[in-house]
Amino acid sequence: MHKPAREIEKSLSTVGYRLTRPRRAVIKVLVQARRSLSLDEILIRARKLEPRIGLATVYRTLEMLTAEGHLEEVRTRTKRYMLACSNFSLHFHLVCERCQTVTELPSTPETQSLTAALQMRNFEPCGSAVEILGLCERCRNRGASETKPVHLRSSPPHVSEIPHNQSGLSKK
Amino acid sequence: MHKPAREIEKSLSTVGYRLTRPRRAVIKVLVQARRSLSLDEILIRARKLEPRIGLATVYRTLEMLTAEGHLEEVRTRTKRYMLACSNFSLHFHLVCERCQTVTELPSTPETQSLTAALQMRNFEPCGSAVEILGLCERCRNRGASETKPVHLRSSPPHVSEIPHNQSGLSKK
DNA sequence: AGCTTATTGAGAATTTTTCTCAATAAGCAT
DNA sequence: ATGCTTATTGAGAAAAATTCTCAATAAGCT
């Protein structure tokens, strides 16, 4: 199913990364896990193999592995919120990672049979919406990223008229 | 599509929540947005309606609205990592929010036709895996939550033998 | 073995989220 | 309307998660 550690390591060194002990440790942890792990789980386990490994190194290694396509990062940066839909059947949201817009995939026979498959497995989705992360059509046809989140602490004590939104940000 | 603000407010006060100006502001912002918003977007907009609204209040209101089912929280707490699958076609992960385990939904005609629907819309999923958050069968049949993440800062400088994982945690 | 330099560890710094507590105001009873 | 009770708020502190900095280390090449 998944590539063995050896293969991942080979692939990395081919691209020019050095095969260090901390990196090997993280890779080994991930391979042996056979399921997803949170950061603290990875850190603790990696330290059993490589006691002096630092927190930042784990973060960096995970970032590197993700960039190289060996890892799937299960959640992305910041939360977003939208009103719950009135219809309570499971539906699908297409979430654009660049412009952050969420659009809804209308219910079709396909989505419904997928819902049935979940019920068959006794898996109860929460939130009644499944997120599909990706790039929307508009953003696929564009180059640079346009959206940068504003930092909370830096928001002014009182409200000003600056348009603090997707379109035109004035940052500190 | 979505409930109007009035209806949400009525529902809240029925359950016993007070309808305060800050809460109304947040609700209005969400209703008017007609798309998902990040926290900073909500804060900025809410302050245009209610300049003295505090950061914590926005968090609290969002949490409350989510608990009451009026809001969908698009991403959950902490990231998890798992090795990327070798097969490159879009597939689905069933992510249990309680035990955090990720299992894979095998490719079926339904999943494939859903994939086709995405292509039709020119939506390019990233990561090659769609996450479906929910409760797995095992956790549905249990009561209290069993998994609590360990805090990074509190991890000991050297490795000890305490089993810092899903099954048995020893917390500070 | 020696050199070069990518990588590391430790801690500081940032960013995001939650908590604390006195002050405020929503909803009820008068 | 007025006053009472107490849920809720705002502000800042605190906690938690992530990223950055930089001198020290060690991979991979010669």
Side-chain angles (χ1 to χ4, degrees), chain A residues 3-137:
Chain A
K3 294 177 195 160
R6 187 176 9 88
E7 198 174 321
I8 294 177
E9 291 173 357
K10 186 182 169 191
S11 155
L12 287 178
S13 76
T14 300
V15 196
Y17 291 101
R18 291 185 182 175
L19 282 185
T20 65
R21 287 179 53 84
R23 281 179 181 164
R24 283 173 191 272
V26 171
I27 293 170
K28 188 166 186 181
V29 164
L30 289 163
V31 168
Q32 290 186 336
R34 314 183 101 261
R35 66 176 181 84
S36 77
L37 297 173
S38 61
L39 188 96
D40 51 293
E41 290 172 320
I42 296 171
L43 180 61
I44 301 291
R45 294 174 188 210
R47 282 194 168 149
K48 291 194 177 152
L49 301 174
E50 187 64 21
R52 290 188 25 78
I53 192 172
L55 172 60
T57 299
V58 175
Y59 271 112
R60 285 185 291 232
T61 303
L62 293 174
E63 186 184 6
M64 182 264 282
L65 288 173
T66 305
E68 291 303 315
H70 297 297
L71 210 55
E72 290 178 10
E73 201 176 79
V74 172
R75 316 288 162 82
T76 48
R77 186 67 52 76
T78 34
K79 294 180 189 173
R80 302 181 67 77
Y81 305 84
M82 79 183 300
L83 290 178
C85 296
S86 324
N87 84 41
F88 268 93
S89 71
L90 187 68
H91 52 278
F92 294 81
H93 285 168
L94 307 186
V95 183
C96 179
E97 297 248 78
R98 178 163 304 161
C99 69
Q100 304 280 42
T101 304
V102 178
T103 55
E104 198 173 324
L105 199 62
S107 172
T108 63
E110 291 84 42
T111 66
Q112 284 168 11
S113 60
L114 193 63
T115 304
L118 295 183
Q119 283 174 343
M120 200 96 77
R121 300 174 153 257
N122 248 306
F123 186 88
E124 178 185 328
C126 49
S128 81
V130 171
E131 314 252 292
I132 304 183
L133 305 181
L135 277 184
C136 72
E137 181 170 19

Side-chain angles (χ1 to χ4, degrees), chain B residues 109-163:
Chain B
E110 293 82 43
T111 66
Q112 284 169 10
S113 60
L114 193 63
T115 306
L118 296 183
Q119 282 175 343
M120 201 95 79
R121 300 176 152 257
N122 246 308
F123 185 89
E124 179 185 326
C126 47
S128 80
V130 171
E131 314 252 294
I132 304 184
L133 305 182
L135 278 183
C136 71
E137 180 169 18
R138 206 160 136 265
C139 287
R140 285 180 75 173
N141 303 328
R142 302 198 173 187
S145 82
E146 298 170 5
T147 305
K148 290 234 175 180
V150 174
H151 299 149
L152 301 180
R153 292 299 192 192
S154 58
S155 43
H158 268 219
V159 173
S160 56
E161 277 309 300
I162 41 172

Side-chain angles (χ1 to χ4, degrees), chain B residues 3-74:
Chain B
K3 292 177 193 158
R6 187 176 10 88
E7 197 174 322
I8 294 175
E9 291 173 356
K10 186 183 168 191
S11 154
L12 288 178
S13 76
T14 300
V15 195
Y17 290 101
R18 291 185 181 176
L19 281 186
T20 65
R21 288 181 52 85
R23 281 178 180 165
R24 283 173 191 273
V26 170
I27 292 170
K28 188 166 187 182
V29 164
L30 289 164
V31 168
Q32 289 186 336
R34 315 181 104 262
R35 66 176 181 85
S36 75
L37 297 172
S38 60
L39 187 97
D40 51 292
E41 290 173 320
I42 295 171
L43 179 62
I44 301 291
R45 292 176 189 211
R47 281 194 168 149
K48 292 196 175 150
L49 302 174
E50 188 64 21
R52 291 185 27 76
I53 192 174
L55 172 62
T57 299
V58 175
Y59 270 112
R60 285 185 290 231
T61 303
L62 294 175
E63 187 183 7
M64 182 263 283
L65 289 173
T66 305
E68 291 302 317
H70 297 296
L71 210 55
E72 291 177 7
E73 199 176 81
V74 172

Side-chain angles (χ1 to χ4, degrees), chain B residues 92-112:
Chain B
F92 295 80
H93 285 168
L94 307 186
V95 183
C96 178
E97 298 247 81
R98 179 164 303 163
C99 69
Q100 305 280 41
T101 304
V102 178
T103 55
E104 199 174 323
L105 197 63
S107 172
T108 64
E110 293 82 43
T111 66
Q112 284 169 10

